[in-house]
């Protein structure tokens, strides 16, 4: 048995064990990386550990540290209150605003993890405060990031379109971008309808002139104040005064966004620098903020990204991809490659996978039955809609910044379940819509 098959079997095994037993999958992934790397591939420990995504780990640490400080000094509460005012108190619009803002950020060139790191904690803060389904809110942020992620000036879009141009297939930009928007928008609509979005349409939050924020429910055309509903709908009052620490924290948020998005600097370094500066300004208030860093999620991501590098070193993605491209039926080969992209990206970097996967698939275009633009779109979308996975940067950020009312294990299982559904069904739907009609 070749090392590529050994690596695939070990991947399935750690996934099954981590799902059935309450063991951090990152720890399991380290064990698998050690055994497969050393005994199947002949790698030494330094080579195995060299595969860890330091960028991702730093992003998780920096962002969760910064938002822990923002929670401590009331800045998150301030952002929530102002955003409620902006949507006129319509709770049902809040998830869509988060979807749109994240999509806009990635469409103008922001890295998907950077956009999710900026918007995700704020969005999940809304979910916890106003009883919006946290899974829906977190996945709206991720799908929003992916929806805008293939614009002609975005990172994903630039990679995909440049690979296609190098292969002699130009003018794929619009098809790939529109396909990404459409698929992620459909998934967002399904989430909204399935996870309580219709109930939110009757819910309003009244922002009073005195600065009080009071939840109310529209029922039968009448607005009923939260005060009259007892414990069913809580009344919340917040001071409208903005403290110095909150102003400084807001400036830090803007600075992190500008440094990461406009100057293309690592958001992990930017976030942890901002967090340290805020901690220096108020050391006693934030002395325990470092304990709120999502350390279990850091272990999860560090272990899984380490194993993903071992999987790549074993040649497993290329093995499956080459086999699929060599099948006699082009459409079936395209379907298998969509699944290769989806399953691999659920555990590894979509950015790193696209330049490898697309050239492998291009021989399918030579059959004359598949449009190169639609094939590129199918592979691109299949490889990125799975970024909802808790093993990817975006999904891990949502787990790390879940509302305080939900345990990490519970929310992790919700995200994992949804990501499994998307990984199993998503590539098939993408293939059926983009590839099958033209075959």
């Amino acid at each position: 048995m070749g090392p590529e098959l050994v690596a695939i079997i070990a991947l399935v095994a750690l996934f099954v064990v981590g799902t059935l037993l309450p063991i951090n999958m990152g720890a399991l992934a380290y064990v698998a990386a050690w055994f497969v790397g050393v005994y199947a591939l002949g790698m030494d420990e330094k080579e195995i550990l060299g595969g860890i995504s330091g960028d991702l780990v730093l992003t998780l640490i920096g962002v969760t540290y910064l938002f822990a400080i923002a929670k401590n000094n009331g800045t998150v509460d301030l952002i929530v209150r102002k955003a409620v005012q902006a949507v006129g108190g319509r709770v049902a619009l809040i998830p869509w605003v988060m979807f749109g803002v994240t999509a806009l950020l990635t469409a103008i060139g922001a890295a998907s993890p950077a956009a999710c790191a900026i918007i995700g904690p704020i969005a999940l803060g809304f979910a916890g405060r106003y009883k919006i389904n946290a899974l829906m809110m977190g996945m709206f942020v991720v799908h929003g990031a992916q929806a805008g992620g293939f614009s002609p000036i975005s990172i994903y879009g630039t990679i995909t379109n440049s690979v296609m141009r190098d292969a002699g297939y130009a003018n794929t930009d619009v098809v790939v971008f529109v396909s990404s928007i459409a698929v992620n928008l459909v998934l967002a609509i399904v989430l909204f309808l399935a996870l309580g979005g219709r109930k939110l349409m009757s819910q309003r939050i009244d922002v009073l002139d005195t600065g009080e924020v009071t939840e109310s429910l529209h029922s039968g055309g009448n607005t009923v104040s939260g005060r009259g509903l007892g414990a069913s709908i809580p009344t919340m009052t917040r001071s409208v005064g903005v403290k110095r620490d909150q102003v400084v924290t807001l400036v830090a948020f803007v600075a992190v966004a500008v440094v990461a998005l406009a100057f293309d600097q690592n958001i992990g370094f930017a976030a942890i620098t901002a967090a340290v500066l805020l901690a220096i300004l108020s050391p006693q208030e934030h002395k325990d903020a470092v304990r709120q860093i999502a350390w279990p999620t850091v272990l999860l991501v560090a272990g899984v990204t380490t194993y993903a590098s071992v999987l790549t070193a074993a040649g497993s993605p290329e093995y499956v991809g080459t086999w699929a491209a060599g099948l006699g039926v082009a459409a079936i080969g395209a379907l298998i490659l969509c699944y290769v992209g989806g399953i691999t990206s659920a555990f590894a970097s979509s950015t790193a996978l696209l330049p490898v996967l697309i050239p492998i698939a291009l021989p399918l275009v030579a059959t004359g039955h598949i449009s190169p633009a639609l094939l590129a779109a199918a592979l691109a979308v299949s490889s990125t809609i799975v970024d909802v996975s808790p093993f990817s940067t975006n999904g891990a950020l949502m787990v790390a910044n879940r509302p305080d009312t939900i345990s990490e294990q519970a929310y992790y299982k919700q995200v994992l379940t949804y990501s499994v559904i998307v990984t199993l069904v998503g590539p098939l739907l993408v293939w059926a819509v983009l590839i099958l009609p033209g075959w």
Side-chain angles (χ1 to χ4, degrees):
M1 183 183 298
E4 63 278 355
L5 293 178
V6 173
I8 292 173
I9 293 172
L11 174 65
V12 173
L14 75 88
F15 183 80
V16 171
V17 174
T19 302
L20 297 178
L21 299 178
I23 302 174
N24 188 298
M25 200 170 293
L28 293 170
Y30 268 126
V31 174
W34 185 38
F35 279 100
V36 174
V38 172
Y39 299 107
L41 298 175
M43 301 172 68
D44 60 37
E45 285 82 356
K46 289 185 178 179
E47 290 176 317
I48 295 172
L49 292 174
I52 187 174
S53 176
D55 174 70
L56 173 52
V57 170
L58 179 61
T59 297
L60 286 171
I61 292 174
V63 168
T64 55
Y65 188 19
L66 177 59
F67 274 88
I69 291 175
K71 288 179 183 178
N72 288 348
N73 64 22
T75 304
V76 173
D77 285 344
L78 177 65
I79 294 172
V80 168
R81 185 169 65 247
K82 295 302 181 182
V84 169
Q85 292 174 333
V87 299
R90 297 176 179 86
V91 178
L93 291 181
I94 295 175
W96 293 106
V97 169
M98 299 302 158
F99 180 94
V101 170
T102 316
L104 178 62
L105 287 176
T106 54
I108 63 177
S112 178
C116 288
I118 292 168
I119 303 301
I122 297 172
L124 288 166
F126 276 110
R129 179 66 55 78
Y130 298 117
K131 313 303 180 187
I132 302 172
N133 185 286
L135 177 63
M136 176 178 71
M137 187 66 94
M139 298 305 97
F140 258 57
V141 172
V142 179
H143 283 306
Q146 304 314 101
F150 283 94
S151 80
I153 61 172
S154 68
I155 295 175
Y156 287 155
T158 300
I159 292 172
T160 302
N161 297 322
S162 63
V163 170
M164 293 299 290
R165 282 194 297 270
D166 291 344
Y169 301 103
N171 303 319
T172 61
D173 309 44
V174 175
V175 174
V176 174
F177 187 28
V178 172
S179 299
S180 179
I181 293 174
V183 171
N184 284 282
L185 184 59
V186 168
L187 289 173
I189 292 172
V190 171
L191 279 168
F192 186 80
L193 296 175
L195 298 179
R198 285 171 291 186
K199 293 181 179 179
L200 296 178
M201 296 175 70
S202 63
Q203 189 173 339
R204 293 279 303 265
I205 305 162
D206 291 338
V207 183
L208 307 179
D209 292 338
T210 60
E212 292 183 343
V213 179
T214 306
E215 279 197 5
S216 62
L217 184 68
H218 286 271
S219 179
N222 297 319
T223 302
V224 183
S225 172
R227 292 182 179 87
L229 295 178
S232 60
I233 300 181
T235 300
M236 291 165 290
T237 303
R238 295 287 182 267
S239 170
V240 293
V242 180
K243 300 177 181 178
R244 178 189 65 87
D245 286 353
Q246 294 171 347
V247 173
V248 174
T249 304
L250 288 172
V251 171
F253 282 165
V254 173
V256 169
V258 170
V259 168
L261 305 183
F263 295 97
D264 195 28
Q265 297 298 307
N266 183 285
I267 192 170
F269 278 119
I272 201 166
T273 299
V276 169
L277 291 174
L278 291 171
I280 290 174
L281 292 175
S282 302
Q284 292 303 312
E285 182 181 359
H286 304 309
K287 63 181 180 180
D288 293 328
V290 71
R291 298 180 182 177
Q292 300 174 46
I293 294 173
W295 296 115
T297 305
V298 171
L299 172 60
L300 169 71
V301 171
V304 170
T305 57
T306 298
Y307 187 75
S309 70
V310 172
L311 192 72
T312 302
S316 299
E318 291 85 351
Y319 173 80
V320 178
T322 303
W323 170 76
L327 293 176
V329 181
I332 300 301
L335 174 61
I336 294 174
L337 286 172
C338 284
Y339 272 104
V340 170
I343 294 172
T344 304
S345 291
F347 295 91
S349 169
S350 302
T351 306
L353 178 67
L354 288 172
V356 175
L357 186 63
I358 292 176
I360 291 174
L362 287 178
L364 298 175
V365 177
T367 63
H369 298 295
I370 297 178
S371 161
L374 291 176
L375 178 62
L379 294 175
V381 175
S382 296
S383 299
T384 52
I385 57 173
V386 297
D387 281 358
V388 295
S389 163
F391 313 119
S392 70
T393 307
N394 296 346
L397 282 167
M398 298 308 110
V399 174
N401 291 285
R402 71 200 181 282
D404 294 336
T405 54
I406 303 177
S407 70
E408 180 174 9
Q409 187 69 17
Y411 193 65
Y412 165 77
K413 287 183 178 180
Q414 291 179 18
V415 174
L416 177 61
T417 300
Y418 176 68
S419 67
V420 169
I421 294 172
V422 171
T423 304
L424 293 178
V425 179
L428 178 61
L429 293 178
V430 171
W431 173 82
V433 172
L434 298 178
I435 302 296
L436 192 58
W439 181 48

